[in-house]
C-alpha cells in the first residue's frame, strides 16, 4: 500500500504520518500515510487553477471520455474492495455494490455530457428592425465555476468519497477537483486517487485536474476552503463539520457556496388503513431498513409517526421483536460508535421516552447495538432533543392522538432528505392534506418503500431544506448535481469567430438549444 498523497501527477511522501485503523479490532493497519501540509494545499489549488481553463474548454465528448476512463481505471484497481473493507468494517457485498455505483454515476455523467442538455444553450437572435428598439443578438450557455474542493465521507468510502458524486459532477461541469480524503480510509482514497491520476494521464489532461490531500487535522480542510482559487465545496458529513466549512467559506474575501449534506432523521408516516392491512410486514421491513449497514445511512428512518391505536401497537411490537434479533454490526470508526452510544443514552434517559427494544449484545470493538424507542406526539413536540439525529441504528416511534397532532409533529421538524408515506387507497385523502407541508420539509417524498437506498438517476433529489443540506435548491445525487458547479454566461453581439463552440451560429457541437423561445 502506497502512503503518498497526490499533488497533480506527483506522489508526495515523507514528513509527518498517520495511520488507518480496522474498526473491527481498533488495531492500526500496516501503512503510514503522509500528512499534507497547508503548503501542499496551496500547491494543489494552484495546479487546479492552472488546469481550469483548458479543462472547462474541452468538448463535451472529451470530458465524457475522461469520466468513462476514470470508471474503467477504478474497476481495474486491484485490492480496492479489500482495502475499503479493512478501513471501514463494511462487508464485501456492500462495497462491491458501492464500487459499481461509483463507476455507474461516472458513466451517467458521461452520458449526460454527450446528450448536451446540461449546457442549457439559449439563443435570442438579433431583431434589428424591432420597434421601438432593436434587440441585440443574445446567446447564453453555462460554464464551470472553477476549482472545487471535495470532502470524502465516512459512511461511503467509494460512492461519496474521492471519485464519488461530488467529484463526478464537478468533473462533468469542467471543474478541477482538490479532494480531502477522509482520514478513516486513506488507503482506499489513495487507490481511487491513483485511478483518477491514471485517467488524467491517459486522456492527456493537465495534471492539475485532480489532486488528493490527506491528513487527520481539521485545519487541512479549512485551509482548502480558504484558498482563493477554490470556487465551491462539496461535503457530506456531520452538521458541525458542514457548518464550520460554511462559516469559513462565507468569511472569505470572496464568499463561495458550500454544498453540504449534513443531518436528517427521515420521518416515516404510517397511515391507518396501511397499518391495518400490513402492519406486521411493515414492522419487519422497518427494522430491516433501520439496521442496514448498522444504520449508518443519511436516509436512515430515525422517526416513525402514526395514530395511537392497537394497529400501531402491533406494528411496534413486531418491530421490537425483529430488532431484538438484530445482530450488532461494526460501525465505521470508534468515534462514530462512541457518538452513537451517547445519542442512544440521551434518548433512553428522557422521562417521556420508553425503550421498546435493544438489539442483541455484541462482542468485539465498535459494535452498534440497535435501539428502538417510543414516545407521544405531545412529548415529541415539546422536546426538540427527541428530533436530533442519532447516526446509527436507533429510531423512535411517535404515537399521536389525531392527524392534527401528526401535522404538528411534522411541522416542528427541521428540513429532511426524505419523508416516507406508508399508505393504502383509503389513506390518500389524509395524506393529500399533509403533502404541501411535506414538500416544504423534504427533498424526496416516497410511498410504500423505505428511505434507505438512493437511485442515481436523472430525477433523483438527494437534498432538502436545512439542516438536511446547506442549500435546498440542489441535490448531491443524480444528474442535477452538475448544476451546483455551473454558472450562466451571456454573449451579446459577439462576432461568430469569438463565440465559444456551444453558442456559435452553426452549432458545431450539435447541442440542444432554445432558439427564440422554441426548443430545437
Amino acid at each position: 500500500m502506497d502512503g503518498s498523497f497526490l499533488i497533480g501527477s506527483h506522489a508526495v511522501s515523507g514528513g509527518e504520518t498517520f495511520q488507518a485503523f480496522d474498526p473491527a479490532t481498533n488495531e492500526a493497519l500496516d501503512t503510514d500515510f503522509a500528512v499534507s501540509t497547508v503548503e501542499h494545499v496551496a500547491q494543489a489549488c494552484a495546479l487546479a487553477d492552472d488546469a481550469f481553463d483548458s479543462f472547462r474548454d474541452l468538448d463535451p465528448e472529451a470530458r465524457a471520455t475522461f469520466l468513462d476512463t476514470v470508471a474503467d481505471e477504478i474497476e481495474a484497481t486491484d485490492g480496492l474492495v479489500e482495502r475499503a473493507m479493512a478501513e471501514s468494517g463494511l462487508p464485501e457485498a456492500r462495497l462491491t455494490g458501492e464500487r459499481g455505483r461509483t463507476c455507474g454515476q461516472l458513466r451517467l455523467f458521461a452520458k449526460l455530457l454527450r446528450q448536451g442538455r446540461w449546457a442549457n444553450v439559449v439563443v435570442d437572435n438579433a431583431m434589428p428592425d424591432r420597434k421601438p428598439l432593436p434587440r441585440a443578438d443574445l446567446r447564453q450557455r453555462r460554464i464551470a465555476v472553477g476549482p472545487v474542493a471535495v470532502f470524502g465521507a465516512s459512511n461511503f468510502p467509494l460512492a461519496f468519497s474521492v471519485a464519488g458524486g461530488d467529484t463526478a459532477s464537478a468533473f462533468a461541469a469542467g471543474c478541477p477537483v482538490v479532494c480531502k480524503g477522509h482520514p478513516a480510509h486513506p488507503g482506499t482514497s489513495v487507490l481511487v486517487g491513483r485511478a483518477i491520476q491514471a485517467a488524467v494521464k491517459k486522456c492527456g489532461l493537465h495534471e492539475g485536474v485532480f489532486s488528493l490531500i490527506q491528513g487527520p487535522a481539521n485545519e487541512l480542510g479549512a485551509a482548502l476552503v480558504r484558498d482563493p482559487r477554490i470556487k465551491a465545496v462539496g461535503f457530506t458529513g456531520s452538521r458541525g463539520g458542514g457548518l464550520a466549512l460554511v462559516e469559513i467559506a462565507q468569511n472569505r474575501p470572496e464568499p463561495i457556496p458550500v454544498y453540504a449534506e449534513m443531518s436528517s432523521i427521515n420521518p416515516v408516516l404510517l397511515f391507518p388503513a396501511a397499518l391495518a392491512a400490513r402492519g406486521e410486514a411493515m414492522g419487519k421491513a422497518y427494522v430491516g431498513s433501520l439496521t442496514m449497514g448498522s444504520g449508518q445511512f443519511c436516509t436512515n428512518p430515525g422517526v416513525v409517526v402514526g395514530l395511537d391505536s392497537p394497529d400501531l401497537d402491533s406494528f411496534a411490537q413486531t418491530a421490537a421483536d425483529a430488532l431484538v434479533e438484530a445482530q450488532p454490526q461494526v460501525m465505521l470508526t470508534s468515534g462514530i460508535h462512541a457518538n452513537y452510544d451517547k445519542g442512544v443514552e440521551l434518548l433512553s434517559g428522557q422521562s417521556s421516552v420508553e425503550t421498546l427494544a435493544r438489539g442483541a449484545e455484541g462482542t468485539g470493538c465498535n459494535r452498534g447495538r440497535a435501539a428502538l424507542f417510543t414516545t407521544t406526539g405531545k412529548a415529541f413536540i415539546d422536546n426538540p432533543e427527541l428530533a436530533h439525529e442519532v447516526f446509527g441504528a436507533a429510531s423512535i416511534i411517535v404515537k399521536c392522538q389525531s392527524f392534527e397532532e401528526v401535522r404538528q409533529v411534522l411541522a416542528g421538524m427541521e428540513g429532511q432528505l426524505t419523508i416516507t408515506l406508508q399508505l393504502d387507497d383509503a389513506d390518500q385523502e389524509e395524506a393529500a392534506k399533509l403533502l404541501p407541508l411535506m414538500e416544504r420539509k423534504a427533498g424526496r417524498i416516497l410511498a410504500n418503500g423505505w428511505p434507505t437506498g438512493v437511485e442515481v438517476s436523472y430525477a433523483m433529489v438527494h437534498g432538502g431544506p436545512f439542516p438536511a443540506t446547506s442549500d435546498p435548491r440542489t441535490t448531491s445525487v443524480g444528474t442535477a448535481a452538475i448544476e451546483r458547479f455551473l454558472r450562466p454566461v451571456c454573449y451579446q453581439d459577439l462576432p461568430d469567430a469569438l463565440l465559444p463552440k456551444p453558442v456559435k451560429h452553426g452549432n458545431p457541437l450539435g447541442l440542444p438549444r432554445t432558439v427564440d423561445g422554441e426548443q430545437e
Side-chain angles (χ1 to χ4, degrees):
M1 170 59 62
D2 182 357
S4 304
F5 56 87
L6 309 175
I7 305 296
S9 60
H10 302 283
V12 182
S13 58
E16 185 182 351
T17 63
F18 72 109
Q19 291 180 299
F21 289 83
D22 183 343
T25 63
N26 275 345
E27 294 179 355
L29 297 174
D30 54 1
T31 303
D32 292 329
F33 291 91
V35 174
S36 305
T37 65
V38 172
E39 290 73 25
H40 291 127
V41 171
Q43 292 172 18
C45 293
L47 278 175
D49 192 56
D50 289 344
F52 175 51
D53 282 328
S54 62
F55 187 51
R56 73 178 179 87
D57 199 41
L58 286 177
D59 286 352
E61 176 58 38
R63 278 211 305 277
T65 298
F66 169 59
L67 289 169
D68 285 338
T69 305
V70 173
D72 293 343
E73 291 293 328
I74 290 172
E75 288 175 339
T77 299
D78 293 334
L80 177 59
V81 168
E82 292 78 9
R83 183 68 192 192
M85 290 169 61
E87 291 182 334
S88 69
L90 296 171
E92 181 178 6
R94 152 73 190 273
L95 287 166
T96 299
E98 193 179 325
R99 179 180 59 187
R101 171 178 169 160
T102 303
C103 296
Q105 63 193 4
L106 285 161
R107 293 182 174 121
L108 179 63
F109 278 107
K111 181 178 179 181
L112 179 73
L113 287 174
R114 293 181 173 110
Q115 291 168 333
R117 294 192 302 271
W118 61 277
N120 197 31
V121 176
V122 181
V123 175
D124 294 331
N125 283 304
M127 300 173 65
D129 298 326
R130 189 182 69 172
K131 304 298 182 184
L133 294 172
R135 183 176 78 184
D137 183 87
L138 302 170
R139 294 166 183 267
Q140 183 194 115
R141 66 161 175 160
R142 293 191 294 180
I143 68 168
V145 297
V148 171
V150 170
F151 287 75
S154 64
N155 58 335
F156 282 87
L158 298 173
F160 278 83
S161 196
V162 175
D166 288 340
T167 296
S169 54
F171 281 160
C175 298
V177 168
V178 180
C179 181
K180 165 68 168 63
H182 195 282
H185 34 77
T188 306
S189 298
V190 169
L191 289 172
V192 176
R194 287 284 195 181
I196 299 174
Q197 194 180 55
V200 169
K201 183 176 181 180
K202 280 189 175 182
C203 294
L205 305 181
H206 189 293
E207 63 171 324
V209 164
F210 175 77
S211 292
L212 170 69
I213 60 173
Q214 299 249 59
N218 290 337
E219 178 53 34
L220 196 61
L224 178 57
V225 176
R226 288 192 190 102
D227 192 284
R229 290 156 292 207
I230 294 296
K231 301 303 180 184
V233 179
F235 172 85
T236 298
S238 69
R239 186 190 304 204
L243 291 181
L245 296 182
V246 169
E247 182 177 8
I248 293 168
Q250 292 305 305
N251 287 329
R252 292 175 19 147
E254 177 199 1
I256 58 172
V258 175
Y259 300 108
E261 181 206 311
M262 298 179 291
S263 179
S264 184
I265 56 174
N266 307 295
V268 178
L269 308 185
L270 307 180
F271 286 85
L275 269 174
R278 47 194 170 85
E280 182 176 340
M282 285 161 48
K284 293 177 181 177
Y286 161 51
V287 171
S289 178
L290 173 65
T291 59
M292 182 188 302
S294 201
Q296 298 169 120
F297 290 90
C298 44
T299 52
N300 207 42
V303 175
V304 171
V305 184
L307 296 183
D308 194 2
S309 66
D311 288 330
L312 183 59
D313 290 339
S314 178
F315 165 87
Q317 187 59 56
T318 300
D321 292 343
L323 189 125
V324 166
E325 301 298 322
Q327 296 301 308
Q329 302 171 50
V330 177
M331 299 195 76
L332 293 159
T333 69
S334 58
I336 288 173
H337 177 249
N339 286 334
Y340 171 71
D341 282 348
K342 289 177 183 176
V344 169
E345 183 179 357
L346 177 65
L347 283 176
S348 63
Q350 300 289 327
S351 60
S352 60
V353 172
E354 175 189 351
T355 301
L356 283 182
R358 294 299 308 270
E361 292 275 6
T363 58
C365 299
N366 302 319
R367 264 65 176 181
R369 189 182 176 202
L372 182 61
F373 305 94
T374 187
T375 192
T376 65
K378 183 179 185 306
F380 192 89
I381 293 166
D382 291 343
N383 186 355
E385 287 188 336
L386 301 185
H388 289 177
E389 180 186 22
V390 177
F391 187 66
S395 187
I396 186 168
I397 298 173
V398 180
K399 297 182 177 182
C400 295
Q401 298 305 307
S402 65
F403 276 114
E404 173 57 24
E405 192 167 77
V406 171
R407 189 196 68 79
Q408 292 176 21
V409 166
L410 191 59
M413 289 185 187
E414 298 178 310
Q416 305 293 328
L417 292 170
T418 72
I419 297 176
T420 300
L421 312 177
Q422 292 288 344
L423 77 170
D424 284 354
D425 290 348
D427 299 312
Q428 291 183 12
E429 182 178 351
E430 291 296 340
K433 296 176 184 177
L434 292 171
L435 188 59
L437 177 58
M438 290 186 279
E439 290 174 332
R440 294 174 64 175
K441 290 290 181 178
R444 177 165 57 112
I445 302 166
L446 57 149
N448 297 331
W450 297 95
T452 42
V454 182
E455 181 70 27
V456 180
S457 69
Y458 292 90
M460 177 52 63
V461 172
H462 190 60
F466 181 87
T469 61
S470 57
D471 188 335
R473 299 167 296 177
T474 64
T475 176
S476 62
V477 177
T479 55
I482 194 175
E483 295 172 8
R484 300 172 297 171
F485 306 125
L486 293 168
R487 66 176 181 87
V489 176
C490 178
Y491 306 87
Q492 181 171 330
D493 283 337
L494 264 68
D496 193 60
L498 293 182
L499 287 172
K501 287 182 182 179
V503 291
K504 279 184 176 295
H505 289 264
N507 194 9
L509 297 179
L511 296 174
R513 294 182 170 193
T514 300
V515 179
D516 294 331
E518 301 293 331
Q519 297 290 324
E520 285 194 350

